Amino acid sequence: MSPRRNRPKAAASSGPRAEDDQAGRYGGWQSSESWRGEEWSVRHVAGASAEGKTYRCPGCDQLIPSAVPHVVAWPEHAGVDDRRHWHKACWNAKDRRTTRVQRSRNAPRF
């Protein structure tokens, strides 16, 4: 049995570079999609990255609980303040939804 190798195999690879890492530090991958005639940056967030945080989905107006995988989307020309957190199913169904969100009688109006 060979001993375990604890040194890097090649000196040329000094580790991943920031621009090569599509996953980034948020645990998901990022892509670009076109929606309503505009380019959107879309990042898939792993549940572990969202630990201790809750968000309100603009698609269904419901809370996204802590540690639940979801999607973050924002227009490419916009800044950080325009990012919105969506359930994955809500983001995939965004073209089939009406412009007005239907709420139940006892749902809070935020």
Side-chain angles (χ1 to χ4, degrees):
M1 187 164 168
S2 314
R4 183 175 160 189
R5 178 176 284 159
N6 289 328
R7 283 172 259 143
K9 289 184 179 182
S13 76
S14 61
R17 296 185 317 214
E19 58 270 7
D20 293 341
D21 186 19
Q22 283 286 344
R25 63 179 166 216
Y26 301 107
W29 52 274
Q30 184 170 336
S31 64
S32 180
E33 294 183 23
S34 181
W35 182 44
R36 294 186 178 170
E38 196 171 8
E39 287 298 314
W40 288 69
S41 294
V42 180
R43 178 176 289 152
H44 295 262
V45 179
S49 302
E51 189 75 36
K53 304 171 193 168
T54 58
Y55 304 100
R56 184 163 297 276
C57 175
C60 65
D61 200 32
Q62 299 296 313
L63 287 179
I64 301 173
S66 174
V68 171
H70 61 278
V71 174
V72 180
W74 65 96
E76 284 191 350
H77 71 281
V80 176
D81 294 334
D82 292 325
R83 291 185 300 185
R84 296 293 175 257
H85 296 256
W86 296 67
H87 292 105
K88 287 183 181 183
C90 294
W91 177 255
N92 292 336
K94 65 190 175 299
D95 292 327
R96 296 187 303 268
R97 292 190 178 274
T98 62
T99 56
R100 182 180 156 105
V101 176
Q102 299 293 322
R103 293 182 182 90
S104 64
R105 284 184 155 168
N106 58 356
R109 294 189 177 266
F110 293 114

